[in-house]
Amino acid sequence: MAPQTLSKSRAALALGLSTLPLAARAATRSDYISNALNATDVLNQNWYDSTNGLWQDLWWNSANALTALADLAAIDSDFIPTASNYFQRTYNAAPASNGGTLLNDYYDDEAWWALGWIAAFDITQDINYLSTARSIFQDLTIGLDASCGGQCWSKDCDYIGSINNELFLAVVASLAHRSPNDGTDYRTYAINQADWLIHHSGLQNSHNLILTKPGYPGPPDATAAQCKGVFVRNLTKLQSVRPDGDYVTFLQRNADSVRDKDREGDGEIGPDWQGPLFDANMTSQSSVINCLVAAAAVS
Ligand SMILES: *[C@@H]1O[C@H](CO)[C@@H](O)[C@H](O)[C@H]1NC(C)=O
Ligand SMILES: *[C@@H]1O[C@H](CO)[C@@H](O)[C@H](O)[C@H]1NC(C)=O
Ligand SMILES: *[C@@H]1O[C@H](CO)[C@@H](O)[C@H](O)[C@H]1NC(C)=O
């Protein structure tokens, strides 16, 4: 096996994604989209609370659910009005359950929200969402210049995490594209952050991975259930800038397995995409939307 293939399948195993062989795949882009729409309806009906604007009262996970809705709207324009309603409701209601703000003590939580609002801005062009992401960015900069470079994970600064540092790079690179003339040099932040992550952080191992979920095998916890959706979302982005047929196959295979092996009759979907279904909740359901949208986007 070529090293690249090896690391891809290792990454898949580490995250509990399906590595099953391609069986009788008949799904088309529109099949994946209609599955994603159903999964989204189930997510919203079963877990969205319009009084606090959150899914299952979960905080950073809800930012990821918001992003999943935006990603679906990006490939299915009929879904834009529905997605926009959820953006607006969450925008109005969510801060109240967090002391009136989207900021807290964790830079990764904040950055998930920044990415969510950037995705919502891309769909709606509502400048309030972009401004919100910009003010979250201001808070994120407070965590910079941790003892060995990069950004602290939390305001206590007791730890330098990989996820918050990768998120910070994603936020500044996204703002550089969308808000180039607002007086902040996001591009330089992005270049410095990428330089630190790649050359100085020590966060990548010799196989260029950071991906291991040490708990696996075993049932994924809520973070693992959420982050596998983030992983396929990221892989779709990689595919859009550096296409590779293996990524397409991998994404379709996982979506097919979700459809065939991990779905309840009522449309709830669990965290183990290879099946069987268990423990469906908003984390598994919103991740699965990422998976179905990813498969649709590359098909
Ligand atoms: C995916 O990208 C985000 C930034 O958008 C990053 O923080 C995260 O670590 C990446 N995660 C995976 C599992 O690829
Ligand atoms: C959601 O499911 C995950 C497993 O997928 C489980 O670890 C977590 O406790 C559940 N969370 C809630 C809030 O039900
Ligand atoms: C999702 O699809 C299932 C059939 O697979 C159906 O029973 C369910 O009513 C649908 N849910 C929604 C909210 O559309």
Side-chain angles (χ1 to χ4, degrees):
M1 238 190 302
Q4 208 188 2
T5 316
L6 180 68
S7 35
K8 268 183 226 156
S9 59
R10 274 213 196 124
L13 281 173
L15 285 164
L17 307 179
S18 174
T19 51
L20 294 174
L22 194 56
R25 187 165 60 73
T28 61
R29 179 184 170 91
S30 72
D31 293 330
Y32 292 128
I33 291 179
S34 72
N35 291 142
L37 287 166
N38 179 272
T40 305
D41 286 344
V42 171
L43 173 76
N44 292 335
Q45 285 179 18
N46 295 8
W47 291 293
Y48 189 70
D49 180 345
S50 55
T51 57
N52 66 13
L54 301 176
W55 286 264
Q56 213 179 342
D57 299 333
L58 294 173
W59 185 245
W60 66 271
N61 307 75
S62 290
N64 276 288
L66 190 86
T67 308
L69 264 59
D71 289 347
L72 177 54
I75 58 165
D76 180 10
S77 57
D78 290 346
F79 185 66
I80 291 177
T82 307
S84 303
N85 283 335
Y86 283 94
F87 301 154
Q88 196 61 52
R89 262 194 261 178
T90 295
Y91 184 79
N92 293 336
S97 59
N98 185 54
T101 174
L102 290 169
L103 307 178
N104 66 9
D105 286 342
Y106 300 96
Y107 293 116
D108 53 346
D109 288 12
E110 295 186 358
W112 290 121
W113 280 108
L115 288 183
W117 294 120
I118 288 166
F121 167 74
D122 285 348
I123 299 301
T124 59
Q125 298 298 305
D126 184 332
I127 200 74
N128 288 325
Y129 300 153
L130 189 61
S131 307
T132 300
R134 286 198 302 240
S135 43
I136 294 173
F137 155 81
Q138 291 297 341
D139 203 67
L140 294 175
T141 62
I142 298 170
L144 290 178
D145 300 320
S147 52
C148 38
Q151 186 202 46
C152 299
W153 172 56
S154 68
K155 291 191 176 156
D156 283 351
C157 205
D158 57 350
Y159 174 72
I160 301 173
S162 65
I163 291 191
N164 62 282
N165 275 286
E166 291 149 13
L167 281 166
F168 183 71
L169 174 56
V171 170
V172 286
S174 302
L175 289 175
H177 282 293
R178 290 160 183 81
S179 199
N181 303 313
D182 71 3
T184 302
D185 189 358
Y186 300 109
R187 191 167 176 277
T188 298
Y189 277 100
I191 289 167
N192 292 342
Q193 181 70 2
D195 179 64
W196 179 78
L197 262 176
I198 295 165
H199 300 296
H200 306 292
S201 69
L203 289 168
Q204 277 178 317
N205 68 16
S206 54
H207 302 288
N208 293 325
L209 295 175
I210 51 163
L211 264 172
T212 317
K213 283 274 173 204
Y216 197 80
D221 63 13
T223 301
Q226 192 76 65
C227 286
K228 66 207 290 181
V230 175
F231 173 73
V232 292
R233 197 169 87 201
N234 290 359
L235 191 58
T236 315
K237 286 208 179 108
L238 181 60
Q239 167 67 14
S240 72
V241 292
R242 205 181 145 183
D244 180 330
D246 283 355
Y247 302 156
V248 174
T249 309
F250 176 82
L251 293 170
Q252 290 173 335
R253 223 178 250 183
N254 276 283
D256 294 340
S257 179
V258 161
R259 290 157 42 93
D260 298 343
K261 305 202 163 92
D262 191 24
R263 211 158 82 99
E264 199 55 87
D266 62 4
E268 288 194 1
I269 305 176
D272 270 352
W273 296 350
Q274 72 272 33
L277 177 121
F278 70 99
D279 221 1
N281 63 39
M282 86 58 83
T283 63
S284 59
Q285 193 78 20
S286 58
S287 273
V288 141
I289 297 168
N290 295 136
C291 178
L292 295 166
V293 167
V298 301
S299 296

